[in-house]
Amino acid sequence: MASNAKTRRLDCGATVDRISNLPIHLKHLILDRLPVDDVARTSVLSKAWSDIWIMYPNLVFDDEFFSRLVSKKFPTEDKQVQLSEVSKTISNILLLHSGPILTFILNVPLHLPLHQSMNVWIKKISINGVRTLELFNREPVDYKMPSSFFSCSNLTRLWLVKCILNPPSKFGGFCNLIDVTLVVVRITGDMSFGTRLKQLALLHCSGVEHLGSHFKNCNNLTGLIIVDSEEIDWHLFQCTPKMQLKTLELEFGRETDVMKKVINLDKLFGNMPRINNLYLDGFFLESLERNASVLKRPITTLEKLNLEGVRLQNLVHIHNALCLIRSSPNLRYLRLVLAPEVYSSNNMDSLDASMLSVDMIPHQLKTVEIQEMIGSVTELQLVKLLLASTPSLKCIKIQNNNIAFF
């Protein structure tokens, strides 16, 4: 009995360090829930914890990190002192970390210009085999990515905000990138994110024309989002019959010079044989050429269609929206977000069931969502037309001023 009691006391932690004896993956899960500066402090606990810190692969310098560091440690210091201390803290953390750095996330706060130090940090993580890099720059000045960034050969996921990409003249592209999101990024020269890229999002970027290599037949791109870019060469989309593209979002968000270049629906979507999910805004609909009421080649793979900012007063919007619907025989989900404007009951006098080709009725359409309706005669005509032309419809959701009707 005495021996059992002694064993129980030991098991309760008298001499056994249960946390230190946990498997390495469980220790990493614990560290994942701590701020990165606290994670770094574990290296002084013991030799075992020092080894764990060296091999801990995720470094996250997010808003919480900067808030803790600045507000608690240097709340009354001037900006220069704050900048110096923050830069020193991050540099020391990276200096103590000699193992692989697979994830590096940095949210650069406003009024802390860390750009000069960031060059050193990115060189460090490029050497340590970084795979996920997320850099959110809030400074008013764009951050120019250093040359060491283009040597991150293990990179698989990239997210950049307010940066400049100036690729070296002999840059051959990344080898392992799969997912790229660029927000307010300026691309200054021809470059490639590599043939393994699957997801590409370009939001308010410039220099998009330098990414022409991703529209070649040999790439694996399955998802493409382009928002508010005027440098799109639409001929690139006409040379992609073997693309793997399944999800496409094209959003202008405003009237741009691109709208002056009329885009042919047949040429645009006829070269996307695998497209499954399509999102277009009203400004893009405005730029599409209005010709036939149905595409020469139906989009047989399209299952989800999202049209946002559709103006029912605009006959070009109406024509192109209906053309896409009736050219998608396997469409299952349709979402229309109507532009907030005053409609006239005479706008759709010509819109009736005859506008949908009999042999191209979307037989598979099961769900329809219409948002921002105000209950005009024009809108009701549209609803009646959809109801009369969709034999498999199971659910129609109409939203009026945040009130939904089913």
Side-chain angles (χ1 to χ4, degrees):
M1 291 294 292
S3 176
N4 290 340
K6 182 177 181 181
T7 301
R8 284 197 297 271
R9 286 197 300 272
L10 290 175
D11 289 344
C12 288
T15 59
V16 177
D17 185 350
R18 290 185 178 278
I19 295 179
S20 295
N21 290 330
L22 288 172
I24 186 67
H25 72 280
L26 292 181
K27 293 177 184 176
H28 282 177
L29 287 176
I30 294 174
L31 297 183
D32 284 341
R33 288 157 175 78
L34 296 176
V36 67
D37 48 334
D38 287 344
V39 175
R41 291 191 185 97
T42 62
S43 62
V44 302
L45 295 177
S46 65
K47 176 63 168 61
W49 278 102
S50 177
D51 293 341
I52 292 171
W53 159 245
I54 289 175
M55 300 306 295
Y56 180 67
N58 306 319
L59 300 184
V60 179
F61 302 98
D62 55 10
D63 293 338
E64 181 183 354
F65 166 80
F66 285 103
S67 177
R68 283 162 44 94
L69 192 62
V70 174
S71 63
K72 292 184 178 181
K73 290 189 176 182
F74 319 110
T76 60
E77 307 291 347
D78 61 36
K79 291 297 181 182
Q80 280 301 117
V81 174
Q82 288 183 355
L83 175 63
S84 174
E85 294 298 333
V86 168
S87 178
K88 185 187 301 182
T89 300
I90 297 177
S91 296
N92 287 339
I93 289 175
L94 287 170
L95 180 64
L96 292 172
H97 195 294
S98 59
I101 300 175
L102 304 184
T103 299
F104 184 80
I105 298 175
L106 176 63
N107 294 4
V108 181
L110 188 62
H111 307 309
L112 275 181
L114 297 167
H115 290 186
Q116 187 172 356
S117 299
M118 285 160 57
N119 292 341
V120 178
W121 301 339
I122 290 179
K123 183 176 182 180
K124 166 71 174 178
I125 64 174
S126 68
I127 297 173
N128 287 50
V130 65
R131 295 181 184 176
T132 295
L133 173 59
E134 298 181 12
L135 200 161
F136 305 93
N137 175 33
R138 294 191 180 93
E139 278 293 296
V141 179
D142 293 349
Y143 172 61
K144 182 179 179 181
M145 298 297 289
S147 58
S148 57
F149 162 74
F150 296 95
S151 64
C152 296
S153 57
N154 295 323
L155 204 60
T156 59
R157 186 174 189 272
L158 175 66
W159 193 321
L160 299 179
V161 177
K162 285 203 69 178
C163 296
I164 300 173
L165 292 177
N166 184 22
S169 57
K170 295 183 179 180
F171 178 62
F174 293 93
C175 303
N176 296 292
L177 261 178
I178 295 175
D179 190 338
V180 173
T181 299
L182 305 181
V183 183
V184 195
V185 170
R186 178 156 53 96
I187 305 169
T188 62
D190 291 343
M191 67 172 295
S192 168
F193 292 114
T195 57
R196 298 189 63 187
L197 188 69
K198 292 186 176 181
Q199 302 292 327
L200 175 61
L202 306 169
L203 314 179
H204 314 289
C205 295
S206 60
V208 176
E209 70 274 14
H210 295 301
L211 300 177
S213 61
H214 288 289
F215 295 86
K216 295 180 180 179
N217 295 339
C218 59
N219 72 64
N220 294 304
L221 195 64
T222 60
L224 176 63
I225 300 174
I226 301 179
V227 175
D228 188 13
S229 175
E230 297 190 19
E231 298 87 3
I232 304 173
D233 183 355
W234 297 108
H235 292 91
L236 294 173
F237 285 95
Q238 298 174 17
C239 304
T240 57
K242 295 183 181 180
M243 281 186 72
Q244 305 297 316
L245 197 62
K246 296 181 179 179
T247 298
L248 177 64
E249 178 176 338
L250 299 174
E251 181 181 353
F252 290 162
R254 59 187 174 88
E255 186 172 351
T256 68
D257 290 339
V258 178
M259 294 175 58
K260 300 175 183 178
K261 304 174 183 178
V262 178
I263 304 165
N264 184 277
L265 273 172
D266 277 304
K267 292 183 178 179
L268 181 62
F269 297 113
N271 289 289
M272 298 181 187
R274 296 171 180 82
I275 194 71
N276 179 265
N277 187 0
L278 179 62
Y279 177 102
L280 304 174
D281 73 346
F283 292 100
F284 187 86
L285 288 176
E286 183 75 22
S287 68
L288 294 173
E289 181 180 0
R290 181 184 177 185
N291 43 24
S293 60
V294 64
L295 299 182
K296 296 177 182 177
R297 180 185 300 174
I299 315 176
T300 57
T301 57
L302 189 63
E303 295 185 359
K304 295 181 180 180
L305 177 61
N306 292 267
L307 301 177
E308 186 158 347
V310 179
R311 298 196 301 274
L312 295 186
Q313 285 183 330
N314 190 312
L315 293 179
V316 176
H317 284 208
I318 297 170
H319 176 89
N320 288 328
L322 291 177
C323 179
L324 287 171
I325 293 171
R326 60 175 166 259
S327 299
S328 306
N330 295 311
L331 191 66
R332 296 178 179 272
Y333 170 83
L334 172 65
R335 176 175 171 266
L336 299 174
V337 181
L338 305 180
E341 57 182 297
V342 178
Y343 303 120
S344 166
S345 61
N346 297 322
N347 289 330
M348 294 176 64
D349 289 342
S350 60
L351 181 58
D352 53 40
S354 65
M355 293 188 68
L356 286 176
S357 302
V358 176
D359 59 341
M360 291 301 291
I361 292 176
H363 288 283
Q364 305 301 320
L365 187 59
K366 299 183 183 302
T367 303
V368 173
E369 291 188 27
I370 304 178
Q371 299 181 14
E372 306 300 334
M373 280 190 63
I374 63 174
S376 69
V377 174
T378 303
E379 293 170 339
L380 295 177
Q381 284 182 297
L382 175 62
V383 173
K384 288 173 61 178
L385 176 57
L386 289 173
L387 288 173
S389 308
T390 51
S392 298
L393 191 64
K394 292 185 176 180
C395 174
I396 181 167
K397 178 180 178 181
I398 299 174
Q399 184 175 346
N400 179 4
N401 295 327
N402 297 321
I403 301 175
F405 302 92
F406 296 88

